[in-house]
Structure formats: C-alpha cells, structure tokens
Amino acid sequence: QVQLVESGGDLVQAGGSLRLSCAASGPAFSTYAMGWFRQAPGKEREFVAGITGSGGSTAAADSVKGRFLISRDNAKNTVYLQMNSLIFEDTAVYYCAAKKWGSVVTIKTPDYWGQGTQVTVSS
C-alpha cells in the first residue's frame, strides 16, 4: 500500500508557473505508475498526466501538452507536475494517484489517491 501527499498548490496569475509535488510513503515506489488528475468545480475528475515506474514513458492530456510536464525522482519517492503558461481553465483541485505495475494507460484507473491540492489561476 502507498500513501500520497500532494503539495505546491497556490494562487497564481495567468501565464505563471507552479510545480506540484507528491510524496509517496510505502515500499517499492518505483513499481508504481504515477499520475496527476484534476477536478474543477462542477466538473468530473480528469486525467492530466502519467508516468511509468521507471520514468521512461509519460503521457499527458491534450489540454496540457506542451505546458505541463510530469517527472519523478525515485530516490526521493516523489512525483512532480511542472505547470507552465497557466490559464484560468487550469483552476482545479489536483490529485496525485498511483497504480501498482501500471502503465501510462492503466494509471487512468489508479489504485490510490492523494487528498488533493488547490490550484487557482487568476485571469
């Protein structure tokens, strides 16, 4: 089992940048595919980006491609989401997720969730 704690959410102006972090506790972090999801008010939770356990493969939603980058540091049991060129529509609660032996496809149905961190983009 893995526990996930997100951090880094903040209020930022449109065009700005933020980096979210997700610290994982539990053994064998590198065996988990990791992902970021977000949920805006009144909308369903949506996939943002995913990364395999080794970090060798990544995927991102079309809405964030070229602006957001997912990465991980297995020595620190941490996954990151670098968000650049933020727009108002990126405002949401961002969740970290994990899936044992997952891929960038199967991470879309994760086994574990964090509690979320709020990102607010002012226009």
Side-chain angles (χ1 to χ4, degrees):
Q1 188 170 351
V2 63
Q3 293 182 326
L4 307 172
V5 179
E6 302 95 334
S7 62
D10 206 345
L11 170 65
V12 63
Q13 287 188 333
S17 297
L18 276 178
R19 189 177 79 158
L20 304 183
S21 299
C22 172
S25 61
F29 176 66
S30 64
T31 65
Y32 289 86
M34 301 296 295
W36 287 96
F37 293 73
R38 67 186 182 185
Q39 187 167 20
K43 295 187 177 180
E44 293 187 354
R45 191 174 299 189
E46 64 175 355
F47 171 78
V48 174
I51 188 168
T52 53
S54 67
S57 295
T58 62
D62 288 343
S63 59
V64 305
K65 280 181 181 176
R67 300 190 299 120
F68 291 10
L69 180 66
I70 188 170
S71 62
R72 65 190 295 159
D73 185 338
N74 285 346
K76 296 182 178 180
N77 280 22
T78 302
V79 63
Y80 304 97
L81 186 68
Q82 178 66 43
M83 305 187 294
N84 300 320
S85 302
L86 284 159
I87 60 177
F88 176 76
E89 289 75 17
D90 294 322
T91 297
V93 178
Y94 283 72
Y95 297 90
C96 177
K99 189 170 187 77
K100 186 75 170 176
W101 301 117
S103 69
V104 293
V105 174
T106 61
I107 187 57
K108 295 178 182 180
T109 54
D111 301 320
Y112 304 100
W113 293 96
Q115 85 288 351
T117 186
Q118 176 71 47
V119 172
T120 303
V121 183
S122 62
S123 57

